[in-house]
Amino acid sequence: IINSDCVHIIIIIIYKNCIFIFYMNEMLPLLIFDIIILLYSSYQDIKYKSVDDIIIYILLIFNVFYFLYLIIQNIYPENLIFSYLILLFFSLLYLFRLLAIGDLFIFFSIFFLLSFFSPYKMLLFLFYLVLFGFIFHNIEAIKIYKENRKKYYISILNIILILISIYFINLFFLYFNIYYLLISLIFIYIPYFLFRYISKDLEEKLTFIRNVNELVEGDWIEDGIEVNNIKKEDKEILIKYFDIYENENKYILKFKSNNKLINSIIILFIVILPLIFYFLNEIFFFYSMPFIIIFYHIFQNKLFIGRFGLSKEEINILKKLGEYNDIKVKVKEGAPFIPPIFLSLILLLI
């Protein structure tokens, strides 16, 4: 005789499995499309340290319209609020200049896909993302420290230790043995402290002097651009984006501090708006998400500028100044971040 509690548990398990299969069928086109685009974007990010705008737009458009199609069909991902919180977290990282604008736009797109996964899977995705991001930072260190054997071997050791950590964390989730988790954490902490030994020097070595013609959209550049001459017609455009200071026979260009503050407030307010809708009416929350993402992309050249990453207009005016000035700027580069996103998503599916 089967008691009622057992029957109840069996029914719940069957129901959850049915729901999961249903969502898997619904998310499959989105999953396949996003993986293909992320694979190609990863190739571009590794080879060129940038991704074509058209690729990001294609990813965004497909995800937004597919999500709208689902909610029109009354199919609502159960965990959209959790994937939204991940998006909110990465938006804050961007505002603190810890994430590039291109990488943030990738999250604007794929967070729809993440909403089909359980909160546990999302946390696992973040965990993998941190580890793979750390691996790619050490790969950059390997490229730079070919002549410095000590730091070169430290970077290789860090990658090996993190890969071992990923192996043990998967054993933990497979067998739920706490010892596997402890071993994994040990293999995380060792490379973390080793990386701190090289991190400051690595950051300096990832800052390059470039001509303005080499700048691309989203580049992080340092304030204090020196210019010998500014034509009157160029100055009218320039003052929209830069404060201009005279220093002896030179002009010093600095990003407008007011723009930085106002844009930060607008970006933060818009990204928090869905959370307000969530507490007022959950349906408003679902419908607001795609439109807010579209808003960000429409106004990206007004909001995501200056110290947050160069816009096309800023690059164009600097290039125009470069026609009659020899302008050099300091550009800060980071490790490719789209490949860690792709690899984390793949591990999530295994």
Side-chain angles (χ1 to χ4, degrees):
I1 297 172
I2 302 175
N3 64 41
S4 59
D5 289 339
C6 290
V7 172
H8 184 66
I9 291 170
I10 291 170
I11 291 172
I12 291 173
I13 292 170
I14 293 172
Y15 171 76
K16 287 188 174 181
N17 284 331
C18 289
I19 292 293
F20 178 74
I21 292 168
F22 172 75
Y23 277 127
M24 277 300 294
N25 289 333
E26 294 300 331
M27 71 180 276
L28 195 58
L30 188 63
L31 179 64
I32 293 171
F33 182 85
D34 284 2
I35 285 177
I36 292 170
I37 295 295
L38 285 173
L39 177 60
Y40 181 71
S41 301
S42 297
Y43 161 76
Q44 283 199 324
D45 201 16
I46 291 170
K47 188 170 183 179
Y48 305 111
K49 290 289 184 73
S50 65
V51 179
D52 292 338
D53 287 345
I54 188 65
I55 300 298
I56 294 176
Y57 290 142
I58 290 171
L59 182 67
L60 171 83
I61 291 169
F62 185 86
N63 276 264
V64 167
F65 280 95
Y66 192 84
F67 182 78
L68 284 172
Y69 161 77
L70 290 179
I71 59 176
I72 289 171
Q73 300 295 319
N74 291 320
I75 300 170
Y76 300 98
E78 290 184 350
N79 299 309
L80 185 66
I81 183 63
F82 295 103
S83 63
Y84 159 74
L85 292 174
I86 290 175
L87 179 64
L88 178 61
F89 170 70
F90 282 104
S91 299
L92 292 174
L93 289 183
Y94 169 75
L95 290 175
F96 286 103
R97 296 190 77 201
L98 297 173
L99 187 73
I101 183 60
D103 302 325
L104 180 61
F105 281 170
I106 293 290
F107 279 107
F108 279 158
S109 301
I110 69 163
F111 95 98
F112 292 123
L113 176 64
L114 290 176
S115 66
F116 288 95
F117 292 96
S118 67
Y120 150 73
K121 284 280 190 179
M122 291 184 207
L123 287 174
L124 195 57
F125 171 80
L126 289 176
F127 182 78
Y128 287 142
L129 188 59
V130 170
L131 296 186
F132 280 120
F134 186 76
I135 285 173
F136 275 87
H137 269 87
N138 279 279
I139 290 173
E140 290 300 307
I142 289 171
K143 294 177 186 176
I144 289 171
Y145 293 125
K146 288 181 179 178
E147 305 302 322
N148 188 326
R149 308 311 291 178
K150 184 177 180 180
K151 293 181 179 179
Y152 178 83
Y153 287 121
I154 285 176
S155 302
I156 292 176
L157 177 62
N158 283 345
I159 292 173
I160 294 170
L161 292 175
I162 289 296
L163 290 173
I164 294 172
S165 173
I166 292 174
Y167 171 75
F168 277 104
I169 198 65
N170 278 284
L171 288 180
F172 167 72
F173 287 118
L174 186 62
Y175 298 109
F176 289 100
N177 187 323
I178 192 65
Y179 292 109
Y180 290 133
L181 178 61
L182 293 175
I183 293 170
S184 176
L185 291 175
I186 290 170
F187 281 110
I188 290 173
Y189 278 114
I190 293 173
Y192 167 74
F193 287 110
L194 288 175
F195 187 75
R196 288 185 64 180
Y197 170 69
I198 65 172
S199 60
K200 188 175 181 181
D201 182 58
L202 179 63
E203 185 177 351
E204 291 176 0
K205 291 186 181 296
L206 286 173
T207 302
F208 302 95
I209 305 296
R210 286 190 182 157
N211 187 281
V212 289
N213 293 318
E214 298 173 316
L215 295 175
V216 296
E217 193 175 0
D219 270 347
W220 286 340
I221 69 172
E222 297 296 324
D223 266 340
I225 304 168
E226 291 189 358
V227 179
N228 292 320
N229 187 26
I230 302 176
K231 292 180 180 179
K232 186 177 180 181
E233 60 269 23
D234 292 337
K235 193 170 186 178
E236 293 175 0
I237 303 172
L238 199 63
I239 57 176
K240 294 179 181 178
Y241 304 101
F242 296 93
D243 290 322
I244 304 171
Y245 302 92
E246 291 190 32
N247 183 14
E248 297 178 354
N249 296 324
K250 293 183 179 181
Y251 295 97
I252 307 297
L253 309 180
K254 293 189 176 182
F255 293 118
K256 282 187 172 294
S257 55
N258 286 344
N259 284 358
K260 178 185 175 183
L261 178 61
I262 293 169
N263 288 1
S264 298
I265 292 171
I266 293 172
I267 292 169
L268 191 58
F269 174 74
I270 295 298
V271 80
I272 290 176
L273 203 55
L275 192 60
I276 299 171
F277 289 142
Y278 179 78
F279 289 111
L280 294 176
N281 189 312
E282 199 168 343
I283 299 298
F284 290 161
F285 168 70
F286 279 102
Y287 277 98
S288 69
M289 289 308 307
F291 290 107
I292 284 171
I293 301 303
I294 292 170
F295 172 86
Y296 273 138
H297 278 265
I298 291 173
F299 294 99
Q300 63 173 312
N301 287 324
K302 301 294 182 184
L303 294 174
F304 304 100
I305 61 175
R307 285 184 60 81
F308 293 129
L310 289 176
S311 66
K312 286 182 179 178
E313 286 80 2
E314 288 170 319
I315 293 172
N316 289 336
I317 188 61
L318 288 174
K319 284 182 177 179
K320 199 167 183 183
L321 291 176
E323 292 174 1
Y324 52 92
N325 289 280
D326 182 23
I327 304 175
K328 302 292 183 183
V329 293
K330 286 184 178 182
V331 180
K332 181 182 176 183
E333 282 193 359
F337 198 60
I338 298 178
I341 296 173
F342 171 74
L343 292 171
S344 300
L345 189 59
I346 292 297
L347 271 187
L348 210 60
L349 298 171
I350 296 175

